[in-house]
Amino acid sequence: MTQPPPPPNQPPQPPPGYGYPQAGPNPYAQQPQPPQGPPGYGYPQQQPAYPTQPPTPKRKLNAQAVIIVSAVAAIALIIGGGVWYSSSSRDGQADAKSGDKNSTAGTTEGTGTTEGTGGSGSSGGTDKAPANTASKVLFQVPEPAVGADESSVTVVGSWLTDTVYAKSGNAEIVGYDPVKGTKLWTVPLPGPVCAASRHTTADHKTAILYEPAKPTKDKPYNGCSQVAAIDLDAGKELWTRTVKSGDQSINFANVTISANTVAVGSTSGGAAFDITGKSLWAPKPTDSCYDAGYGGGEKLVAVRKCGAYDARQLKIQTIDPVSGKVLSEYAMAKGIEDASVVSTNPLVVAADINRSAGDGSGISDFFSIDNRTGQLRTKISAPGDRYAAKCEGITRIEYCTKLAVGNDRLYLPTENHDGTGEYSKTNEIVAFDLATGKLDGQRADAGDGYTISPLTMDDGNVIAYKSPPYDKGGQVVSIDGGSFAQTKLMENPATKTVRDVESSMQPEYAELVYADGRFYMSQVYARKPSSTGESRYLVIAYGTK
């Protein structure tokens, strides 16, 4: 009997152990449990349980250079009164030291921006459809070799400028020609990158966290204690810093950039440096609260945690990136353990209240907050069985996937549902008004056999990726912010070898970047070669030009 074709839109399993290493003597136990790949169509049907909560601590790229980091964070929510703060102290934290007063925000995201400019309707995106939307493979980069004492290694972080596409490798960052894929420069590191900023400064500098040494059999994890700034244009490391708690280096969980400030967070508190390397603030031993992490970009927003586990009080603070002064604060209801920053301007955060999402997405609700006054504008319910965005707010405060913010709206994909064809699945993108919390009544359909995910904003338009059926290539589309009309920008080759690579780098567990007719997909995790000898790639780049 003739066998039916395989179900469409069924990406392969992502690598086991995705994310940060789970083993090793990490005193902070900060690393998130790696998400597993979808067992069937589209998005994951089953997600891992949340990691154990850490103990209470002792103490421009432009719109054409846009990047999205996958596996991004869930954001804290809960209705509570916003409080206006004009003081320079932060729950007992001493005033931060002033740095160079350069207020130019880095408007391009090293790994992708979800921020818009506010307002309504479409301003007309900068990315226009080419005469021929059929793409070709520009280049592929093989996965880096994994050492004898490593079963896998994190390779999180990718950035795009006008002159370079940069990507983390195994204990290095490499700059590639964005069209040819030839190596332009290499920045070697003593250990693997464990977190990367989603933003850059206006002159294309970014920040990373990395381990001080490579893993060994006896010591598979060396802590994420090294903070470094990287000049993406020059291809060099500008400086490396550590922050001490007593005589021990703090292990940080997240890093971001706003204006010229590099901010890092942890269960021991937050710290910040000017892009020149000058210290701006650091955790104080007397602090009763701590900055678990920061969201960057146009503004700097801290997720500050107070109180013991199961009695947590989260505060969402918009702060001055130079002085650390609190400009406004929103106090979330007690009991919310984790929050993530989806966007800093407008300010949107997400959280899984009482773990009610039920799907491991880290999102049950979004909070739209006025970051001038700290007042709640509206709360948006986003049940996990209806919407498919994902955040990882337990430690990675700023990492969310499959959503975008712009036009004073939140764009979300629906969960997959049956299409019209046999075995087919499909979904839509819908928009919530950030002033009212209501759906605006429009939707962008993926098309039968495709599933659609927002990537970022291009002025007033949404750039989205369509995961394809089993026999087609993926697509990149622009959705008009006013009419919701779709314009196809790119369709990838449907040959099996190319499809196999593309299907291994889906939005749930990869980094996706689209800009000016080029599309970059990359892994965040490299593994040892399998016994089958299959070819695996770190990066695949497509172009229509």
Side-chain angles (χ1 to χ4, degrees), residues 52-56 290 305-314 333-338 354-355:
T52 303
Q53 174 70 24
T56 302
Y290 66 95
K305 294 189 176 185
C306 302
Y309 179 62
D310 283 340
R312 191 79 71 196
Q313 172 77 70
L314 289 183
K334 288 186 177 179
I336 298 298
E337 293 293 334
D338 306 296
N354 298 323
R355 303 289 189 257

Side-chain angles (χ1 to χ4, degrees), residues 60-68 107-113 126-127 158-164 198-200 204 456-458 513-516 518 520:
K60 115 178 169 197
L61 281 183
N62 50 36
Q64 294 182 352
V66 181
I67 305 177
I68 288 292
T107 57
T108 313
E109 316 239 349
T111 49
T113 179
T126 58
D127 279 306
S158 55
W159 305 266
L160 182 63
T161 77
D162 295 334
T163 59
V164 66
R198 302 178 58 238
H199 309 271
T200 68
H204 305 156
T456 190
M457 299 300 298
D458 175 32
V513 183
Y514 178 84
D516 194 26
R518 294 192 293 270
Y520 305 85

Side-chain angles (χ1 to χ4, degrees), residues 371-453:
N371 52 12
R372 183 181 64 85
T373 65
Q375 296 290 329
L376 179 70
R377 299 176 66 197
T378 190
K379 184 169 78 75
I380 299 170
S381 177
D385 61 348
R386 295 178 61 185
Y387 301 103
K390 181 177 175 58
C391 289
E392 296 182 6
I394 293 176
T395 56
R396 299 202 286 176
I397 298 299
E398 200 179 26
Y399 286 3
C400 294
T401 48
K402 300 191 297 186
L403 46 67
V405 174
N407 306 318
D408 210 34
R409 286 169 171 79
L410 169 67
Y411 298 92
L412 297 178
T414 64
E415 285 286 358
N416 293 355
H417 56 80
D418 288 340
T420 58
E422 189 176 14
Y423 304 111
S424 73
K425 293 288 181 178
T426 191
N427 76 329
E428 301 80 33
I429 289 175
V430 297
F432 288 89
D433 190 302
L434 291 176
T436 66
K438 296 180 179 179
L439 286 165
D440 70 0
Q442 295 177 302
R443 72 178 191 182
D445 295 315
D448 198 42
Y450 292 86
T451 56
I452 190 168
S453 302

Side-chain angles (χ1 to χ4, degrees), residues 278-368:
K278 176 182 177 181
S279 177
L280 299 178
W281 66 82
K284 303 295 187 294
T286 57
D287 280 352
S288 58
C289 303
Y290 66 95
D291 289 356
Y294 303 90
E298 293 184 27
K299 296 184 182 294
L300 185 60
V301 173
V303 175
R304 190 160 177 82
K305 294 189 176 185
C306 302
Y309 179 62
D310 283 340
R312 191 79 71 196
Q313 172 77 70
L314 289 183
K315 299 178 181 181
I316 309 302
Q317 299 178 331
T318 298
I319 61 179
D320 183 273
V322 175
S323 68
K325 175 182 177 179
V326 177
L327 304 177
S328 68
E329 179 180 278
Y330 173 73
M332 307 192 79
K334 288 186 177 179
I336 298 298
E337 293 293 334
D338 306 296
S340 300
V341 180
V342 173
S343 167
T344 62
N345 187 31
L347 178 53
V348 181
V349 297
D352 187 358
I353 300 176
N354 298 323
R355 303 289 189 257
S356 59
D359 63 348
S361 66
I363 305 169
S364 66
D365 298 83
F366 292 90
F367 287 77
S368 173

Side-chain angles (χ1 to χ4, degrees), residues 465-486:
Y465 171 70
K466 290 186 176 183
S467 301
Y470 74 97
D471 58 348
K472 297 182 182 298
Q475 297 179 5
V476 178
V477 299
S478 176
I479 302 169
D480 188 277
S483 67
F484 254 53
Q486 292 185 46

Side-chain angles (χ1 to χ4, degrees), residues 90-148:
R90 305 175 61 197
D91 298 317
Q93 179 171 326
D95 292 353
K97 298 177 181 179
S98 296
D100 296 335
K101 295 184 179 180
N102 185 340
S103 61
T104 302
T107 57
T108 313
E109 316 239 349
T111 49
T113 179
T114 56
E115 296 178 5
T117 56
S120 61
S122 172
S123 60
T126 58
D127 279 306
K128 306 300 182 183
N132 183 2
T133 59
S135 73
K136 63 180 180 180
V137 176
L138 299 178
F139 62 88
Q140 297 178 105
V141 178
E143 272 192 358
V146 175

Side-chain angles (χ1 to χ4, degrees), residues 103 154-155 240 262 346 366 399 447 449 468 483 487 521 530:
S103 61
T154 54
V155 288
T240 296
V262 176
F366 292 90
Y399 286 3
S483 67
T487 300
M521 310 179 79
S530 69

